[in-house]
Amino acid sequence: HPDLVKAEVTRRKSRLLAILEPITTKIFDNNLIISENSQWKSYFDILIGIAIFYSCLTTMYFITFEEPGTTATAFEIITDFLFVLDLIFNFFQEYRDPETYDRVRDHKTIAKRYLRGWFAFDLLAVIPFFVFDSSLRFTKLIRLVRLPKLFAAIDTSKFDQVLSGILTNMNKDEKIFYMFILKNIYKIVRLILIALIITYFIGSFWYLLSDHMDGTTFITENNLHEYSKPHQLLISCYFALTTLS
């Protein structure tokens, strides 16, 4: 009977909504906005930071030294999926106005800000250019558009935001204490990370340029072709570090 079928459909919809409601409320609030102090988003931001770090470093390595294997390709697919999620979440992410410091929770304003900011970089980073031609080095270099976001991810203000979200359930005194200690530790770690990242990329670029030059080069002088790929990377980074110093 049509009325019975309609009633059954309505009942099943209600059950489905009842199941999904606790899940969606953990991700979004009533206005489908992700709070800046959301604990799960803070953990997700840490995961995205690790994914950006992994993606930038491995992209430069595979461009310079060797093609990615099956395992590396699988990790690339996983990181790309995480970046797509991050792109979507950014359209719902609450932020504070830099002038008034008020929370901005309007969807249109959030979207405009994101579209004028990191959206172009994030979109380029997730477009699968390798599907069109995996042999072109450009298709791999395009992934390095994530590099500016790597430095943004390790910025102290981003760390403060993530840390505030993780410690949101602590009382005020404990939160101030842990934030003070961890922020100062992070400043030291951040400086070391920046030095390592710069050394890594200069070393990799130096090897890449030398590999495409004729005559006597850094590679031929040191017989680097006789060494394994990771060993070549370490020598290149050491050369870059000693040259910079």
Side-chain angles (χ1 to χ4, degrees):
H1 194 275
D3 291 338
L4 292 175
V5 172
K6 187 177 180 179
E8 179 64 20
V9 170
T10 303
R11 186 179 66 83
R12 291 189 179 186
K13 281 184 179 180
S14 300
R15 288 182 61 186
L16 180 61
L17 290 172
I19 294 171
L20 292 177
E21 186 177 2
I23 300 172
T24 55
T25 52
K26 287 183 179 179
I27 300 177
F28 304 103
D29 64 15
N30 294 331
N31 296 318
L32 290 179
I33 293 293
I34 301 172
S35 171
E36 65 169 353
N37 294 323
S38 172
Q39 195 171 48
W40 75 265
K41 187 60 167 57
S42 296
Y43 287 118
F44 181 79
D45 286 342
I46 292 174
L47 184 60
I48 286 294
I50 295 171
I52 294 172
F53 186 81
Y54 169 83
S55 177
C56 290
L57 266 60
T58 55
T59 296
M60 193 66 230
Y61 179 82
F62 294 137
I63 290 172
T64 307
F65 297 101
E66 60 182 339
E67 292 293 321
T70 305
T71 304
T73 302
F75 272 107
E76 285 187 5
I77 294 171
I78 294 170
T79 54
D80 284 345
F81 175 72
L82 289 174
F83 293 139
V84 170
L85 285 179
D86 185 52
L87 187 149
I88 295 170
F89 289 153
N90 282 328
F91 282 101
F92 302 92
Q93 179 65 60
E94 172 190 74
Y95 71 95
R96 288 187 181 273
D97 186 281
E99 295 181 0
T100 64
Y101 208 59
D102 292 332
R103 293 185 178 186
V104 178
R105 300 174 58 81
D106 177 64
H107 284 286
K108 189 175 180 180
T109 306
I110 292 171
K112 282 183 177 180
R113 176 177 180 264
Y114 181 49
L115 289 170
R116 289 195 301 262
W118 288 105
F119 176 75
F121 293 95
D122 292 345
L123 184 63
L124 280 173
V126 298
I127 294 176
F129 289 104
F130 62 87
V131 173
F132 307 107
D133 191 346
S134 60
S135 63
L136 289 177
R137 188 155 280 177
F138 167 77
T139 62
K140 299 169 185 174
L141 278 172
I142 199 69
R143 289 176 172 268
L144 290 180
V145 298
R146 293 170 182 155
L147 193 56
K149 200 158 187 177
L150 172 61
F151 288 99
I154 62 174
D155 187 71
T156 52
S157 60
K158 183 66 176 178
F159 178 78
D160 292 347
Q161 181 184 340
V162 171
L163 189 61
S164 179
I166 292 174
L167 304 179
T168 190
N169 293 328
M170 287 188 175
N171 62 54
K172 186 177 179 180
D173 291 337
E174 286 182 335
K175 189 174 181 178
I176 292 173
F177 172 76
Y178 281 109
M179 286 196 71
F180 176 78
I181 298 296
L182 294 175
K183 281 170 66 175
N184 283 284
I185 293 173
Y186 180 73
K187 286 178 181 178
I188 300 171
V189 173
R190 180 174 175 271
L191 289 174
I192 297 171
L193 272 177
I194 291 173
L196 290 174
I197 291 169
I198 292 172
T199 303
Y200 174 85
F201 276 95
I202 292 177
S204 298
F205 273 121
W206 182 252
Y207 185 96
L208 185 62
L209 290 173
S210 300
D211 197 32
H212 288 78
M213 292 171 63
D214 298 325
T216 303
T217 64
F218 161 73
I219 296 174
T220 56
E221 280 187 354
N222 295 279
N223 297 318
L224 292 189
H225 286 307
E226 298 179 2
Y227 297 97
S228 65
K229 299 299 182 183
H231 201 159
Q232 291 173 6
L233 172 62
L234 286 174
I235 294 173
S236 299
C237 289
Y238 174 78
F239 181 83
L241 185 63
T242 53
T243 303
L244 286 173
S245 61

